Amino acid sequence: MRIGLDLGGTKIEGIALDDDGTPLARRRVATPRHDYAATLQAMAGLVRDLEAETSRRGTVGVGMPGALSPATGLVKNANSTWLIGQPLDHDLSSLLERPVRFANDANCFALSEAVDGAAAGARVVFGVIVGTGTGGGIAVERKVLTGPNAIAGEWGHNPLPWPRAGEWPGPPCYCGKTGCVETFLSGPGMARDFREATGRDLAAPEVVARAERGDGAAGAVLERYEERMARALAVVLNLLDPDVVVLGGGMSQIARLYESVPRLWQEWAFSDRVDTALRPPVHGDSSGVRGAAWLWGPGEAQAGAS
Ligand SMILES: [Zn+2]
């Protein structure tokens, strides 16, 4: 049995999966905000509850905002700031008396869709969460690709490529740079583009709904969005050449992206043709917690649970 935890800023979700990915039990609790010790206890409590409900012991994987620094083992880059600098791996492993694996939530999304979701059977998968922010993760042969800095796939903080007039230096990003992909492709990025074009404030879903009803200004914003996503993903195609790109997060619900972006990225990718697929997610909001469970791969479950 595999247990996955998705540590979010407002809730912690837990799932227990059978070997074939069938959910055996699910639980969720509110995240004890600004309290590291209580957050640890809540995570351990979820694991114990899932194991009591299923009468089985499982491996444990955790998806989280940010990452564990490979150099120090401490949490970094987390927007749940009370976790930053804490030895989460060491402490949770001690509490649960077994090794625990951790990954960034975008990596868990990519892994979940690669194992048994929209990219099942694909060898190289790039998963992108486009919502409030823009995160990315890479799964290769059903494993998360990580590196010495734990930043593989962090495409959202590269600059928007082949900038057009008005796109450079671009909007300021919370990371300290300007013109990051995230500032254009996140939901707030689309809302800002609409505001700059029209002087009116609308959230991204409403901009999309107006575009689909034939509103000219909203339609132009959506067309710019599609073309920017195509340029930004062409860089990923050139660098990684994935079999499948899966979109997640709120912006992944824009149905026409799956037709328009692959048509547009042909122009920018360094290839006479592009056979990469762009797909919507299968597991939706469950991808984070399912991907966390899959951090323990086939054949590893026994070792990780003992
Ligand atoms: Zn940035």
Side-chain angles (χ1 to χ4, degrees), residues 156-157 173-177 180 182-183:
H157 297 283
C173 183
Y174 79 88
C175 74
K177 312 279 198 310
C180 290
E182 173 164 318
T183 67

XYZ file of all heavy atoms in Angstrom, residues 156-157 173-177 180 182-183, ligand 1:
74
model
N 8.423 28.270 -14.844
C 7.651 29.491 -14.649
C 8.498 30.717 -14.342
O 8.029 31.843 -14.488
N 9.738 30.505 -13.923
C 10.604 31.646 -13.601
C 11.738 31.798 -14.603
O 12.773 32.399 -14.306
C 11.065 31.574 -12.142
C 9.882 31.663 -11.243
N 9.241 32.852 -10.984
C 9.141 30.687 -10.658
C 8.173 32.613 -10.237
N 8.086 31.309 -10.030
N 7.953 40.083 -10.981
C 7.536 38.784 -10.447
C 7.945 38.726 -8.976
O 8.928 39.340 -8.573
C 8.219 37.670 -11.237
S 7.725 36.004 -10.753
N 7.232 37.940 -8.179
C 7.560 37.854 -6.748
C 8.956 37.288 -6.508
O 9.544 37.468 -5.454
C 6.517 37.014 -6.003
C 6.682 35.530 -6.162
C 7.498 34.808 -5.302
C 6.042 34.839 -7.190
C 7.662 33.439 -5.450
C 6.203 33.490 -7.349
C 7.013 32.787 -6.479
O 7.196 31.442 -6.639
N 9.521 36.606 -7.533
C 10.844 36.002 -7.368
C 11.956 37.044 -7.437
O 13.119 36.729 -7.190
C 11.075 34.921 -8.423
S 11.394 35.557 -10.092
N 11.588 38.283 -7.802
C 12.589 39.344 -7.844
C 13.007 39.732 -9.261
O 13.634 40.761 -9.456
N 12.667 38.888 -10.244
C 12.981 39.214 -11.635
C 11.758 39.881 -12.298
O 10.730 40.081 -11.653
C 13.339 37.930 -12.396
C 14.350 37.022 -11.691
C 15.756 37.498 -11.901
C 16.801 36.425 -11.615
N 16.659 35.717 -10.332
N 8.889 37.062 -16.055
C 8.854 35.601 -15.942
C 7.613 35.052 -16.668
O 6.565 35.718 -16.731
C 8.778 35.177 -14.480
S 10.281 35.491 -13.552
N 5.603 33.027 -15.551
C 4.481 33.046 -14.608
C 3.692 34.360 -14.650
O 2.473 34.355 -14.483
C 4.996 32.802 -13.181
C 3.928 32.974 -12.116
C 4.312 32.373 -10.779
O 4.882 31.261 -10.751
O 4.040 33.002 -9.748
N 4.381 35.470 -14.879
C 3.672 36.751 -14.872
C 2.732 36.885 -16.066
O 1.851 37.733 -16.070
C 4.654 37.951 -14.845
O 5.376 38.008 -16.081
C 5.621 37.865 -13.689
Zn 9.674 34.873 -11.398
